[in-house]
Amino acid sequence: MPEGDTVWQTAQRLHRALAGSPLIRSDLRVPRLATADLTGRQVLEVVPRGKHLLTRVEGGLTLHSHLRMDGSWQVYGPDERWRGGPHHQIRAILATAAHTAVGYRLPVLELLRTGDEDRVVGHLGPDLLGPDWDPDEALRRLLSDPSRPLGEALLDQRNLAGIGNVYKSELCFLLRVSPWLPIGEVASPERLVAHAKKLLEANRNRRARITTAESRRDRRLWVYGRPGRPCLRCGTPVRTAEQGHTGQERSTFWCPSCQAGPPGPEPS
């Protein structure tokens, strides 16, 4: 699942493949960009901003993309077979003489002036893996609504950018508090911010995301994706439930024994 670490890795991969070279092919397969052509323009850089990707090209233009749940960018050599999915799922192709970047299942793809990037990312809080990281500002934003459940506050990219569903559940477990605990009742909330930064930094260069310090596939994460299985710390079955406002619910995983606070909804 793409979260801040995945997007950071994708940006590094795209930057190495495209930056400093002119595009010899530009194919943007969304209706509103059907006539847009970036061929001949040099790619200046590819940078991540939370879960957003900004590909900046000559002429003051930025191609903005977002992976959401299952989008991806893949990079291929000149003679390499494309393996990211069927051709009808391709939304973007950017090619230099040496590499081709192919965007699959991209739910967000738009071309804008680089000077207008704030229109799409200006609302984001401090980026956990970005040069703008400011733990004090992230903490201030998190605590601005003290009655909000912790899990919801962590997912709100306006508070701090880069946390998705996996890190939300894992952070709550590491702090030993329920995802339904109001953020204002979290003891030492600065530890929450520090843990978030530490986790994403530890995983930004890993192929497999790990929060437990164990490399075995079935023991890499404490609670996420483990409904009904024994908690790795105490053996209690891990629970899962939807959390969030109607229409914006996301699955949350937690251990009812290890994590103190509101128990969450009862299993249906």
Side-chain angles (χ1 to χ4, degrees):
M1 182 176 295
E3 302 200 17
D5 52 353
T6 305
V7 174
W8 188 90
Q9 292 173 14
T10 300
Q12 301 303 304
R13 202 162 56 245
L14 290 173
H15 182 84
R16 288 194 298 267
L18 302 176
S21 299
L23 294 171
I24 62 172
R25 182 180 180 184
S26 164
D27 186 358
L28 305 178
R29 300 182 180 181
V30 295
R32 64 183 175 278
L33 299 180
T35 61
D37 187 4
L38 301 177
T39 303
R41 296 177 187 259
Q42 180 171 300
V43 176
L44 303 178
E45 60 181 345
V46 183
V47 298
R49 182 71 174 86
K51 299 182 185 180
H52 299 252
L53 285 161
L54 303 170
T55 301
R56 296 168 180 156
V57 299
E58 277 185 321
L61 294 176
T62 294
L63 184 65
H64 166 234
S65 58
H66 196 296
L67 306 180
R68 288 195 180 161
M69 294 294 288
D70 63 348
S72 72
W73 279 96
Q74 304 295 329
V75 175
Y76 304 107
D79 301 317
E80 192 174 356
R81 182 172 64 87
W82 297 3
R83 305 175 304 280
H87 272 55
H88 72 265
Q89 294 182 348
I90 294 174
R91 297 293 176 266
I93 301 171
L94 300 175
T96 66
H99 299 98
T100 298
V102 184
Y104 293 89
R105 302 170 299 280
L106 299 175
V108 175
L109 189 69
E110 58 184 326
L111 191 63
L112 64 153
R113 291 285 176 188
T114 300
D116 294 333
E117 287 178 359
D118 271 359
R119 179 170 62 81
V120 293
V121 296
H123 65 289
L124 298 175
D127 186 342
L128 283 154
L129 294 178
D132 72 326
W133 174 242
D134 183 340
D136 294 331
E137 175 62 14
L139 185 61
R140 185 193 70 78
R141 293 188 180 213
L142 281 168
L143 296 177
S144 64
D145 183 359
S147 65
R148 195 174 190 187
L150 174 58
E152 293 181 31
L154 286 172
L155 277 187
D156 191 336
Q157 302 299 293
R158 296 170 297 181
N159 291 332
L160 64 173
I163 291 179
N165 225 29
V166 178
Y167 284 120
K168 171 197 72 176
S169 296
E170 295 295 290
L171 280 166
C172 291
F173 180 85
L174 288 168
L175 288 178
R176 298 199 177 204
V177 295
S178 163
W180 281 269
L181 182 72
I183 180 70
E185 296 181 22
V186 174
S188 303
E190 64 277 1
R191 289 179 56 239
L192 170 67
V193 174
H195 270 304
K197 174 72 168 173
K198 182 178 179 180
L199 277 184
L200 266 76
E201 283 195 333
N203 282 289
R204 67 180 178 181
N205 288 313
R206 289 175 176 160
R207 293 178 62 87
R209 188 177 289 139
I210 299 173
T211 62
T212 63
E214 294 197 36
S215 58
R216 257 180 53 183
R217 186 180 183 88
D218 64 339
R219 299 179 69 87
R220 291 173 183 164
L221 302 176
W222 288 107
V223 290
Y224 182 83
R226 298 177 55 85
R229 299 173 65 187
C231 169
L232 294 177
R233 180 177 284 153
C234 75
T236 301
V238 171
R239 286 186 54 193
T240 184
E242 296 298 303
Q243 185 178 28
H245 296 297
T246 302
Q248 299 179 331
E249 304 95 332
R250 300 290 297 277
S251 296
T252 294
F253 301 83
W254 80 103
C255 172
S257 295
C258 289
Q259 296 175 248
E266 289 298 320
S268 56

